């Protein structure tokens, strides 16, 4: 079973962020559909990292004033969720996930030669995507809400999809 020291828990940033890539943009009659991929390599196998600032940068580039922002982990061993950016809570979440899907257990998935059965289950628990409202060009969140990328099989190239759609 992992300890919290085995996790990268960053309440304020996304270590391993490499770049943002615009992959699509459609503008028509005051509407915009803007899509970017965030490229990351989380430097630990497990991590809960705050990507709110990165998503807000995409939102700003989109120029959408009113609409929706969709964020998706494009991998089956990662997740996306909204919660408070408080370090104690990140420790609690990592302990909770580890308690439900512990590393090192003999999962049937490991019979395929993989060693990441727990990562698939942890991903299932955190969900793979979220949709957030956009109002006046900003994420319309409560005071403490932040977007987190949950990595359960890191140390390799991953992408996060951010799609913003709405009125400019």
């Amino acid at each position: 079973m992992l300890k919290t020291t085995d996790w990268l828990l960053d309440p304020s940033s996304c270590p391993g962020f490499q770049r943002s890539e615009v992959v699509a943009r459609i503008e028509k009659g005051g509407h915009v559909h803007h899509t970017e991929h965030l490229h990351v390599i989380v430097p630990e196998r497990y991590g809960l990292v705050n990507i709110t600032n990165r998503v807000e940068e995409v939102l700003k580039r989109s120029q959408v004033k009113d609409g929706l922002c969709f964020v998706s982990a494009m991998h089956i061993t990662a997740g996306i969720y909204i919660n408070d950016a408080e370090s104690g809570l990140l420790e609690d979440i990592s302990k909770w996930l580890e308690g439900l899907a512990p590393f090192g257990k003999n999962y049937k998935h490991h019979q395929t030669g993989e060693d990441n059965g727990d990562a698939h289950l942890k991903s299932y628990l955190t969900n793979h995507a979220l949709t957030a409202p956009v109002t006046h060009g900003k994420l319309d969140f409560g005071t403490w809400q932040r977007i987190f990328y949950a990595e359960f099989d890191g140390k390799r190239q991953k992408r996060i999809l951010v799609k913003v759609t709405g009125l400019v």
Side-chain angles (χ1 to χ4, degrees):
M1 186 168 276
L2 298 173
K3 299 178 274 235
T4 54
T5 55
D6 296 317
W7 290 68
L8 171 64
L9 304 174
D10 197 321
S12 59
S13 68
C14 181
F17 174 78
Q18 294 184 310
R19 65 189 169 90
S20 182
E21 171 190 18
V22 176
V23 294
R25 183 172 177 90
I26 300 169
E27 297 180 45
K28 188 170 184 177
H31 290 84
V32 167
H33 302 282
H34 181 90
T35 306
E36 293 191 26
H37 290 167
L38 306 179
H39 295 262
V40 299
I41 299 177
V42 173
E44 300 295 332
R45 183 168 181 163
Y46 298 91
L48 305 175
V49 296
N50 187 335
I51 63 168
T52 308
N53 291 342
R54 300 296 179 184
V55 172
E56 288 173 335
E57 291 168 2
V58 174
L59 176 56
K60 185 175 181 179
R61 284 190 291 274
S62 79
Q63 301 176 326
V64 167
K65 299 300 178 210
D66 191 78
L68 297 171
C69 180
F70 177 77
V71 183
S72 175
M74 298 177 71
H75 300 273
I76 55 176
T77 57
I80 299 285
Y81 69 93
I82 294 176
N83 214 314
D84 189 348
E86 192 272 312
S87 59
L89 181 59
L90 292 181
E91 284 189 36
D92 292 341
I93 292 169
S94 68
K95 286 179 186 176
W96 176 75
L97 288 167
E98 186 59 25
L100 292 172
F103 172 77
K105 190 175 174 182
N106 189 21
Y107 295 101
K108 287 197 179 236
H109 178 61
H110 296 170
Q111 294 171 5
T112 67
E114 298 285 340
D115 69 348
N116 62 356
D118 67 306
H120 290 275
L121 298 174
K122 288 172 174 130
S123 171
Y124 182 79
L125 293 167
T126 57
N127 209 348
H128 79 284
L130 63 84
T131 303
V134 174
T135 306
H136 304 296
K138 306 274 185 209
L139 294 171
D140 203 349
F141 280 172
T143 304
W144 307 112
Q145 289 180 305
R146 300 293 179 266
I147 301 172
F148 281 84
Y149 174 67
E151 175 61 77
F152 308 118
D153 197 13
K155 296 185 177 182
R156 58 194 177 107
Q157 180 73 44
K158 300 277 184 93
R159 290 178 301 158
I160 303 164
L161 175 126
V162 181
K163 181 178 284 290
V164 184
T165 185
L167 303 171
V168 291

